[in-house]
Amino acid sequence: MDSAIRSLTLLLLIMFTVTQSRESKAAPRLKRFPAEATEKNLKTLAGPLWLPLLHRDSITKATNLSYEQRTKQMLERDALRVAAINARLKDLQTKVFSGIPQNSNEYFTRIRVGSQAREQAMAVDTGSDNIWIQCQPCKVCYSQTDPLFDPALSSTFKPINCSSYACRQLHIGSCDGNGNCLYEVYYGDKSHTTGNLAMETLTIGKVSVRNAVIGCSHTSHGLFVAHAGILGLGRGSLSLPSQLSHYYAGIFSYCLVDRNSNRSSTLDFGPQAVPPGAVFAPLLSNARHESFYYVSLVGISVAGKKLAIEESVFLPDQSGHGGTIIDSSTVLTRLPTDAFLPLRDAFVAAFVDELPLSDENEEFGACYYPFEHEDHPGVPTIDFHFSNNATLSLPRRNVLVKVNDKGTFCLAFLETSSSISIIGNVQQQGIRVSYDTVNRLVGFTLNSC
């Protein structure tokens, strides 16, 4: 073994010497990319560097083994390597828990930020791309459960120049007086945040992601509650899945526990994030709204009977209007009038319990009082049908939502004047939702938290 290694070393030395003698000028050294890569940086590689590529069996005693012995060794090596790869992927995992104890209807996760790895509770949001946290000094900030992040205490915090590639990916971006990038994000509920765009180390589970692009918010207005910021899981280039794309195969999943539970589940990245038994639906794209996850919903059934709703009500038209998206931050599913009214009427007609309808909550389509729990056997089932003939049958606990302390439960679907349908987080509870952006699929696995 030692003699083989010495021979290989000598061969490499001879080849390097011959190559150098053929060059009239010394080849430039390979330059390490700066932390922030631009198009110009991608052209700084030096000329080719030639090395021999040999199979390991050609320089070891494995050539004296039989094919059966070599096959056994190959399987053993592969098993160890696959186990190591899977272990690394499992490290890219963080807990997800309900924000209800903090008076928020969103779901939170905790990641560590900066060189001192300070924990920050962040809202998990598949409907947006940007990652941001509130930072000191804070001009206008809402109250959060964790101490404000101080970038001055982190040696890995680096402001991003406004001419950078990352700054150009912002929907709304500008420059400060020092040439640093400023970001601004508006959300559907009229909340918004502004601050500096920067690179920082994010630690997710056991994996530290260096030079992640995040927003350092100095001004936040709106309906933000308790969390330190937003963890954007959308499809845009600045979202967490996009920034982690070199760690995993374009797949991630989460499971949202019962919103009133103190339990937690996980946000996972990598192929193992999709458990067996998933119901898959095609993932659609929409050039008008590239960040959203559009799913090919084509119909709904109530109590086993498919409603008379045109498929076009659920799908985007040729101009990109309409369609159905999955959103982790919207609480109740929204349906256009042409879908909501048939669903509500069928649900009320199929409700087999003798409990009277309550008229206290007019914003809901149907409410019942008094009611014991969401899993009541009298609650009609609701099924989602997709364009590939797959069906997702919602558990009964995902059909109603408790709206007060008296025991009033209401249908967890609301009417919207918009043409877009939104599958909210009440309907996702207890279901592991998997996103495979490479194969363009969304998976739903029941009871997999």
Side-chain angles (χ1 to χ4, degrees), residues 350-353 371-381 396:
F351 202 96
V352 299
D353 201 286
F371 207 80
E372 294 181 1
H373 54 80
E374 301 95 323
D375 284 329
H376 193 286
V379 178
T381 57
R396 284 188 170 89

Side-chain angles (χ1 to χ4, degrees), residues 120-374:
Q120 301 281 285
M122 303 182 69
V124 175
D125 185 18
T126 59
S128 65
D129 297 326
N130 295 82
I131 305 168
W132 62 268
I133 56 174
Q134 294 192 119
C135 292
Q136 293 183 356
C138 198
K139 298 177 182 177
V140 179
C141 281
Y142 57 91
S143 177
Q144 63 178 58
T145 56
D146 298 308
L148 282 175
F149 178 75
D150 188 351
L153 301 179
S154 176
S155 62
T156 51
F157 183 89
K158 290 169 282 190
I160 289 179
N161 189 278
C162 63
S163 64
S164 70
Y165 173 81
C167 194
R168 295 198 301 272
Q169 301 308 299
L170 293 171
H171 292 293
I172 305 177
S174 59
C175 297
D176 66 11
N178 298 318
N180 293 323
C181 184
L182 301 175
Y183 80 93
E184 189 166 4
V185 180
Y186 285 83
Y187 294 92
D189 61 4
K190 309 304 181 183
S191 299
H192 77 278
T193 173
T194 62
N196 294 96
L197 199 66
M199 287 185 294
E200 182 57 287
T201 296
L202 302 181
T203 302
I204 302 167
K206 297 180 181 179
V207 176
S208 292
V209 182
R210 298 179 180 178
N211 298 320
V213 178
I214 69 169
C216 190
S217 173
H218 300 295
T219 302
S220 300
H221 294 278
L223 302 179
F224 304 122
V225 177
H227 57 69
I230 303 292
L231 193 67
L233 298 178
R235 304 175 76 174
S237 60
L238 296 182
S239 73
L240 182 65
S242 295
Q243 294 196 55
L244 293 180
S245 59
H246 61 288
Y247 280 94
Y248 73 106
I251 301 172
F252 75 94
S253 73
Y254 57 76
C255 196
L256 307 180
V257 297
D258 186 315
R259 62 200 306 268
N260 296 308
S261 168
N262 290 323
R263 298 184 299 111
S264 65
S265 186
T266 58
L267 167 64
D268 295 2
F269 293 85
Q272 86 292 340
V274 185
V279 173
F280 289 100
L283 177 63
L284 308 179
S285 297
N286 189 335
R288 289 182 60 89
H289 304 287
E290 296 178 345
S291 295
F292 293 149
Y293 293 97
Y294 283 82
V295 65
S296 62
L297 183 70
V298 294
I300 299 178
S301 291
V302 175
K305 296 181 180 180
K306 192 170 184 180
L307 304 178
I309 305 172
E310 294 290 335
E311 293 185 2
S312 59
V313 173
F314 302 110
L315 297 172
D317 61 23
Q318 292 184 347
S319 62
H321 293 93
T324 303
I325 68 170
I326 301 176
D327 185 27
S328 61
S329 292
T330 298
V331 181
L332 304 175
T333 289
R334 262 65 172 182
L335 296 175
T337 301
D338 290 344
F340 174 78
L341 294 181
L343 180 141
R344 181 201 62 188
D345 295 345
F347 183 85
V348 172
F351 202 96
V352 299
D353 201 286
E354 296 181 358
L355 290 175
L357 282 165
S358 171
D359 57 3
E360 291 185 33
N361 304 88
E362 296 180 355
E363 62 271 35
F364 290 90
C367 295
Y368 298 87
Y369 166 83
F371 207 80
E372 294 181 1
H373 54 80
E374 301 95 323

